[in-house]
Amino acid sequence: MEKRHYTIKELPESERPYEKCERLGPGALTDAELLAAVLRSGTKDKRATGLAVEILGLHPYYEGLLGICHVTMNELMRIRGIGRVKAVQILCIAELSMRLSSQKVHKKISFHTPKSIADYYMEKMRHLNREEMILILFNGKNKVIKELKVSVGTVNQTVASPREVFLEALKYEAVYLILLHNHPSGDPTPSRQDVSVTKRIKEAGELLGIYLSDHIIIGDRSYVSFKEQQLL
């Protein structure tokens, strides 16, 4: 006998995410039910909620909804029942969640406070699988001129030189700058290379009259500010 293709409509009404949401609100849905509502259908031998559970357990380290922020399209498509369209939908959900988190902080951000800067960039950077460095440039009145990505490295190293940083700073006539980069491990503790690169950029900036105000390392819901730690 051929196996059936299960859909959400085949679930008992009390277990259907759409009906449950209408009766109790979206807050009553589990993570799997929320994801199943987007997936809409499962496979021949697995309902949408079962497929959602499999997706939420895909990443070996990050579990649940956080995991979908760390998986690739190819990894999603290895799951039976996830094709190109559903993989794109899932990745878009992850991106929407990160942008919503950033927007909540954006209205309150003060670029004079390491914590508020770290809070703003946290959702953008803590899910990255490789180290990336962002450069924020300021004018003489401490107003932001430009935000630039100056380096994309590996899982444990970012490759950024003072030359790259100050070519951009001179181009936009910046007076001050702040560096940010992430540690995919989740631990924001500065490495010896982080300290060495920061020192070289600080010294080069002093010669050029473009001053390094801070270097912030983003971890998993944690950060280290060179300024706060008196490492500058």
Side-chain angles (χ1 to χ4, degrees), residues 59-228:
H59 197 277
Y61 178 71
Y62 295 100
E63 297 180 355
L65 290 174
L66 184 58
I68 66 175
C69 296
H70 291 270
V71 295
T72 65
M73 187 167 179
N74 286 336
E75 287 171 334
L76 286 167
M77 290 175 65
R78 291 191 194 114
I79 297 176
R80 187 180 173 208
I82 300 296
R84 175 176 166 272
V85 172
K86 284 184 178 177
V88 168
Q89 289 174 328
I90 293 164
L91 293 177
C92 287
I93 290 170
E95 181 62 26
L96 272 173
S97 69
M98 289 188 284
R99 293 191 188 188
L100 282 168
S101 296
S102 294
Q103 284 297 315
K104 288 179 181 178
V105 178
H106 180 68
K107 294 179 181 179
K108 302 177 182 178
I109 189 170
S110 164
F111 279 97
H112 304 292
T113 309
K115 184 180 183 303
S116 62
I117 295 172
D119 286 344
Y120 176 66
Y121 286 95
M122 187 66 67
E123 292 305 315
K124 290 184 178 182
M125 302 186 76
R126 75 185 183 98
H127 303 294
L128 298 173
N129 295 320
R130 295 181 298 175
E131 289 197 10
E132 296 186 5
M133 182 169 283
I134 290 176
L135 171 65
I136 309 172
L137 301 173
F138 299 81
N139 63 19
K141 296 182 179 179
N142 285 324
K143 300 293 183 182
V144 176
I145 303 171
K146 192 75 175 177
E147 174 196 304
L148 300 156
K149 185 187 296 183
V150 292
S151 175
V152 177
T154 63
V155 293
N156 59 7
Q157 185 180 37
T158 185
V159 183
S161 69
R163 181 177 183 276
E164 293 173 276
V165 169
F166 289 106
L167 278 175
E168 297 293 348
L170 290 167
K171 177 181 176 182
Y172 291 98
E173 300 182 353
V175 177
Y176 303 95
L177 60 90
I178 290 176
L179 293 171
L180 295 102
H181 85 275
N182 64 300
H183 280 181
S185 67
D187 180 0
T189 303
S191 67
R192 282 187 293 179
Q193 185 195 38
D194 294 335
V195 174
S196 174
V197 168
T198 304
K199 182 180 178 182
R200 287 166 56 206
I201 290 173
K202 178 178 181 291
E203 291 173 350
E206 288 172 349
L207 291 172
L208 294 168
I210 304 173
Y211 301 100
L212 177 62
S213 295
D214 202 354
H215 183 178
I216 299 171
I217 302 177
I218 301 293
D220 186 12
R221 298 191 182 279
S222 58
Y223 76 95
V224 166
S225 159
F226 276 59
K227 182 177 180 180
E228 287 182 342

